[in-house]
Amino acid sequence: MTKEASKNTELMAIHARDLGKVYRIQDKPIHRLLDALKIGGPRGREFWALKGVYLDIPKGSTVGIIGENGAGKSTLLKLISGVSKPTTGDVQVQGRVTSLIELGAGFHPEFSGRENIGLACSILGMSPEEIDELTPHIIEFSELGDFIDRPVKTYSSGMYVRLGFAVATCVNPDVLLVDEALSVGDEHFRGKCLNRLNDFRDSGGTTVFVSHDIGSVKTMCQHVILIDSGEVIEQGAPERVADEYLKRVKARGNERQMSMLHRGSAEYPRWGSGEMEVEEVLLLGGEGQPGLAFETGEHFIVRLRYRAHKDCNQPVFGLGLYRSDGTYVNGSNHQWRHEPIDLGEVKAGETGEVDMAMGALPLLEGQYYLTTFLYDHSKAAPTAIDHREHVVTFQVLDPSHHQHGILRLPTAWAVRRNIPGEEEVRGHESGS
Amino acid sequence: MFSLLSSLAGNKRLLIDFVKRDLKARYVGSSMGFFWSVIFPIVNLFVFMFVFRLLLNARWGDDAGPKETALIMLAGILVWAGFAETLSRSTNCLIENANLIQKVVFPSEILPVYLTTSSVVNMLIGLPIVVLGCWLFGITGPGMSIVMVPVLLVLQMLFTIGLGYFLTTLNLFLRDTYHLVGVGVQVWMFATPIFYPAEMVRNARIMLPDWLSFLSNMPLRVDKLTGEEVPLIAGEGGDLGLGWMLDINPMHWLIDAWREVLIFGRWPDVSSLTLLAVVSIAIFAIGATFFRSQQAKFPDLL
């Protein structure tokens, strides 16, 4: 209701016209000084962090800005919040802006939480009366209890963030800028924060939400803006923009692969007797295209190309799958199966391909890497012919965001409700 | 510069908050609290008295006794400490508050002002000790000229804030500035008559080496103390007087004025006070203009 009302006034909360920001990269610090004093022409290279951005964000809406790291999201937020001045164009914001980028910025470690609240509010331009009125609310929301009168330096990082969030949202901003700040704090407080953001939206506040996590942007925003290399590529309905974003991330991933292949394996250990060699590792997606970024549920093939330099008996290829933090997700080879593939003898000069296929990639969003094993199984204890650690890193994107963790599991859910007065048992069962 | 002044007036509340915070931060967590404002200069005083009076046998003219010398030194230390501390803190203030400047719309022009104000307040806690000492030891002490104190405070603050604005802006471009200021303050301190009387400098003569002898063919100037015409830098044959060091040092004029007012109960020298006023206002104008011209770029420069 409030949303409709404010829309009708046709006032934009944020209005930006041809917004651009250029950073000049000088070779020597002294050049910056001379440029600043306008002695001699501009030196150094220009870098456009943001170019030609037009925004019309109506009051009361929640808008998401997505883009990869370095796309210009943070620069845009800085321009909206007024911290940084645009090189071209201008941006107008109606009302008070607070941003969750600055959680706890300016807290003084020696002062108590209460004193810091006063100082932070006064930096946000509030009068002493307003501060006195708000302080109890902030303290209550932050759940700091007795800690509020202890020096901030004794706080845990979670408490620090709680206080920061409480200050930023309790000061009744008109526009709230959120920059992935919610990834901190415990589960309970994060829930509280999301509730607070929802309340804020319902009361007609405008939220600008910056993330590279499409899942959360999709669930929270009605309008999404995709930024790449400082330019707005696409904007509109979350579904459509998210698809475009995924496409781009995948394309980017594939570009990266080209450079990875040329890098060789010098960075990670590789060992073995060397009769045979795994020369190349290819990751193939649903359409058989090589790539480094895949979607959960996509058809997925790991293809190893090998070459034998000497004769070899009973070589076995295997794959180890790890998450980027080193968690061993899965390991398998073509020998230890129901129907083993026995290569028998391999002669010098032979080449070939080994495929490991998964009908539907069960990995959830995250970064993973592969280690290839080529072992001689003719002996009781297999010995390494060519063991390559960390051969290839790839990315998995999960546009649905239905499950969390490492693997998508076929979970089934059922709800049986007993509602007094109604005898029937209503329920719904499904497999994910 | 005028937009800067009006913005300072607009942010008065925040400025006061910052000064309070800073004064508190000096002593939060210490049991002696504000006494440190007093203890620190007194300890300093004993150290310098030991070195200069006992070891080097420096005397403050013929008629000054040891107690008077101590008070003269103390007044000098207090004023100098307020200035020097602010200067190095101001130089670093933008970098130290980078998280504020980069993340919040923050009036960074209050930073050097609050630092200066805080240290001046700190100095004002220490200076009454000098006055008490005068009364205790039967030295003249302040008289009518005490009305000059606000003037001296304003000039000192203008001078310090102006330098602070200039140096902190420069420090964003050339980070060496901070280190240079550290060294410069040290040199400046010993070039200023704090632990020795100004006459010692005026009377000092050094002989220039041959390759610097061109300095002796400089035009004449009027010596402030004697009113005689003396060579600008060095006399005939490379005889170099050091009096010029005092004539270009605003901190000497300032400290001298403080001593006149607080210890000798005399009116400060009008000509050097006028000069101090001109220099302070000029420094403030230059510093503030430079600061203001670059302020929009601060978030990008940090």
Side-chain angles (χ1 to χ4, degrees):
Chain A
M1 281 236 304
T2 346
K3 229 176 281 171
E4 291 304 317
S6 55
K7 255 183 196 166
N8 290 339
T9 60
E10 291 194 348
L11 271 173
M12 292 295 161
I14 301 169
H15 173 76
R17 216 169 35 83
D18 190 27
L19 210 54
K21 178 77 187 178
V22 75
Y23 290 102
R24 205 164 261 288
I25 300 153
Q26 272 103 346
D27 300 330
K28 291 181 183 159
I30 188 86
H31 287 172
R32 277 206 306 194
L33 179 63
L34 293 175
D35 277 2
L37 296 172
K38 303 201 170 60
I39 300 172
R43 301 162 178 80
R45 295 177 289 116
E46 277 187 350
F47 169 69
W48 284 89
L50 217 56
K51 206 171 185 176
V53 173
Y54 289 81
L55 290 178
D56 273 312
I57 298 178
K59 278 188 177 169
S61 59
T62 302
V63 173
I65 301 176
I66 55 174
E68 293 185 66
N69 288 332
K73 291 171 296 180
S74 300
T75 307
L76 183 54
L77 273 200
K78 276 189 183 176
L79 293 183
I80 293 175
S81 67
V83 166
S84 184
K85 300 275 176 297
T87 315
T88 64
D90 60 64
V91 58
Q92 283 152 16
V93 183
Q94 307 270 339
R96 176 186 288 162
V97 190
T98 67
S99 49
L100 295 185
I101 336 166
E102 73 215 21
L103 286 184
F107 282 175
H108 192 294
E110 290 284 353
F111 288 135
S112 72
R114 194 187 297 275
E115 287 167 317
N116 270 306
I117 290 174
L119 202 63
C121 289
S122 134
I123 289 173
L124 289 170
M126 310 188 68
S127 70
E129 297 77 41
E130 278 180 290
I131 296 173
D132 287 343
E133 196 190 309
L134 275 177
T135 305
H137 296 288
I138 296 175
I139 294 173
E140 193 200 319
F141 188 80
S142 66
E143 295 182 4
L144 284 169
D146 294 339
F147 267 94
I148 200 68
D149 288 312
R150 297 229 213 125
V152 166
K153 67 176 177 187
T154 63
Y155 287 16
S156 70
S157 54
M159 292 161 83
Y160 200 85
V161 169
R162 260 146 61 188
L163 188 60
F165 186 91
V167 170
T169 55
C170 288
V171 295
N172 298 326
D174 299 295
V175 177
L176 188 63
L177 309 176
V178 186
D179 188 5
E180 326 217 30
L182 297 184
S183 50
V184 265
D186 56 25
E187 209 53 55
H188 159 72
F189 193 75
R190 204 179 321 169
K192 222 173 138 181
C193 292
L194 284 175
N195 276 339
R196 173 56 70 97
L197 292 182
N198 285 332
D199 288 350
F200 173 71
R201 182 167 44 180
D202 292 344
S203 67
T206 312
T207 314
V208 179
F209 192 76
V210 164
S211 183
H212 49 233
D213 175 18
I214 0 159
S216 46
V217 168
K218 255 182 174 176
T219 52
M220 294 198 61
C221 308
Q222 305 123 354
H223 186 90
V224 176
I225 300 165
L226 170 60
I227 297 191
D228 191 26
S229 312
E231 288 178 73
V232 173
I233 300 296
E234 183 88 56
Q235 53 176 314
E239 294 294 330
R240 194 164 54 83
V241 181
D243 283 352
E244 177 65 29
Y245 176 63
L246 274 186
K247 250 191 258 167
R248 283 179 171 269
V249 172
K250 284 173 95 169
R252 185 70 53 93
N254 296 344
E255 272 168 38
R256 253 181 236 138
Q257 180 173 40
M258 301 329 262
S259 58
M260 293 265 285
L261 282 178
H262 296 292
R263 202 167 57 195
S265 63
E267 278 179 47
Y268 295 102
R270 177 180 190 176
W271 66 88
S273 48
E275 287 96 346
M276 289 174 73
E277 189 187 346
V278 173
E279 289 188 317
E280 197 183 351
V281 181
L282 276 177
L283 306 181
L284 308 174
E287 286 115 46
Q289 82 287 3
L292 273 186
F294 305 91
E295 273 179 41
T296 307
E298 191 176 1
H299 191 70
F300 179 70
I301 296 175
V302 182
R303 178 166 294 166
L304 311 178
R305 295 223 166 97
Y306 69 86
R307 177 185 298 275
H309 300 292
K310 291 178 186 163
D311 293 357
C312 198
N313 203 15
Q314 277 196 28
V316 172
F317 293 88
L319 276 174
L321 175 60
Y322 299 81
R323 195 168 64 177
S324 55
D325 62 358
T327 306
Y328 189 21
V329 179
N330 181 269
S332 64
N333 66 33
H334 60 70
Q335 176 78 37
W336 294 336
R337 310 174 64 242
H338 255 305
E339 296 147 7
I341 302 171
D342 193 344
L343 298 181
E345 205 151 317
V346 174
K347 294 280 177 212
E350 182 181 323
T351 60
E353 288 180 354
V354 180
D355 278 7
M356 190 276 280
M358 284 187 237
L361 185 64
L363 297 173
L364 290 173
E365 185 150 316
Q367 226 180 38
Y368 299 86
Y369 64 87
L370 287 172
T371 290
T372 62
F373 313 120
L374 173 51
Y375 275 70
D376 181 350
H377 279 237
S378 64
K379 298 154 190 165
T383 56
I385 301 171
D386 184 12
H387 180 122
R388 297 181 66 175
E389 288 279 337
H390 214 136
V391 183
V392 60
T393 302
F394 63 100
Q395 201 142 18
V396 177
L397 304 160
D398 179 14
S400 75
H401 268 272
H402 289 162
Q403 294 190 6
H404 298 267
I406 305 179
L407 290 174
R408 183 157 83 178
L409 298 176
T411 48
W413 286 77
V415 181
R416 270 169 292 280
R417 304 168 67 183
N418 297 316
I419 300 168
E422 285 178 60
E423 278 310 301
E424 81 190 283
V425 175
R426 295 196 292 181
H428 180 68
E429 290 197 29
S430 78
S432 173
Chain B
M1 188 180 94
F2 294 103
S3 69
L4 187 141
L5 287 175
S6 73
S7 144
L8 283 178
N11 287 301
K12 206 171 58 193
R13 260 232 56 93
L14 191 58
L15 193 57
I16 294 170
D17 273 357
F18 263 81
V19 172
K20 272 194 209 152
R21 174 181 97 155
D22 193 57
L23 285 172
K24 251 169 127 183
R26 278 173 203 255
Y27 310 111
V28 165
S30 71
S31 51
M32 305 276 280
F34 269 86
F35 278 104
W36 283 114
S37 290
V38 177
I39 292 166
F40 183 69
I42 290 182
V43 170
N44 241 347
L45 174 73
F46 280 114
V47 170
F48 286 115
M49 272 183 67
F50 175 73
V51 174
F52 285 91
R53 243 197 99 67
L54 292 177
L55 298 186
L56 301 176
N57 203 20
R59 305 210 59 187
W60 215 275
D62 297 326
D63 47 348
K67 286 169 189 155
E68 197 172 353
T69 308
L71 288 174
I72 292 171
M73 282 189 183
L74 183 59
I77 293 169
L78 284 168
V79 176
W80 178 264
F83 168 74
E85 178 213 77
T86 316
L87 211 54
S88 49
R89 285 184 76 195
S90 289
T91 307
N92 223 22
C93 70
L94 290 177
I95 289 172
E96 223 163 68
N97 291 288
N99 63 342
L100 275 181
I101 294 164
Q102 286 185 306
K103 291 176 177 165
V104 202
V105 181
F106 179 77
S108 51
E109 62 270 17
I110 70 166
L111 292 174
V113 180
Y114 100 78
L115 287 170
T116 308
T117 313
S118 158
S119 73
V120 162
V121 171
N122 207 38
M123 178 181 92
L124 287 177
I125 295 170
L127 284 180
I129 301 211
V130 176
V131 177
L132 276 178
C134 288
W135 290 336
L136 208 65
F137 301 140
I139 299 158
T140 327
M144 272 300 287
S145 64
I146 194 110
V147 296
M148 290 304 288
V149 165
V151 177
L152 294 183
L153 281 178
V154 168
L155 293 183
Q156 178 173 352
M157 286 184 71
L158 280 179
F159 184 66
T160 318
I161 295 170
L163 273 180
Y165 275 146
F166 185 83
L167 291 171
T168 196
T169 312
L170 191 66
N171 193 34
L172 285 191
F173 294 101
L174 305 168
R175 300 288 162 109
D176 312 83
T177 309
Y178 181 63
H179 302 284
L180 275 173
V181 166
V183 176
V185 162
Q186 192 84 350
V187 172
W188 196 348
M189 179 178 84
F190 283 100
T192 308
I194 298 172
F195 310 112
Y196 51 84
E199 283 68 35
M200 276 176 74
V201 181
R202 297 221 181 265
N203 298 332
R205 287 269 179 279
I206 55 172
M207 296 299 283
L208 286 179
D210 282 347
W211 59 275
L212 276 176
S213 59
F214 67 91
L215 285 173
S216 32
N217 303 319
M218 290 287 187
L220 298 177
R221 69 184 167 90
V222 178
D223 189 281
K224 259 181 42 194
L225 210 65
T226 56
E228 291 167 13
E229 283 205 331
V230 294
L232 182 64
I233 297 176
E236 205 62 40
D239 178 14
L240 175 70
L242 293 176
W244 58 272
M245 277 173 50
L246 303 180
D247 299 338
I248 59 162
N249 184 354
M251 282 313 286
H252 166 59
W253 315 333
L254 180 72
I255 289 176
D256 209 42
W258 274 111
R259 284 172 174 158
E260 292 290 313
V261 170
L262 289 184
I263 298 171
F264 305 111
R266 293 192 294 241
W267 294 88
D269 178 50
V270 179
S271 68
S272 62
L273 202 62
T274 316
L275 208 54
L276 179 65
V278 171
V279 168
S280 297
I281 291 167
I283 292 271
F284 181 82
I286 293 169
T289 308
F290 183 43
F291 183 89
R292 203 62 170 169
S293 71
Q294 305 302 322
Q295 197 175 13
K297 281 188 254 167
F298 287 168
D300 307 334
L301 287 169
L302 281 161

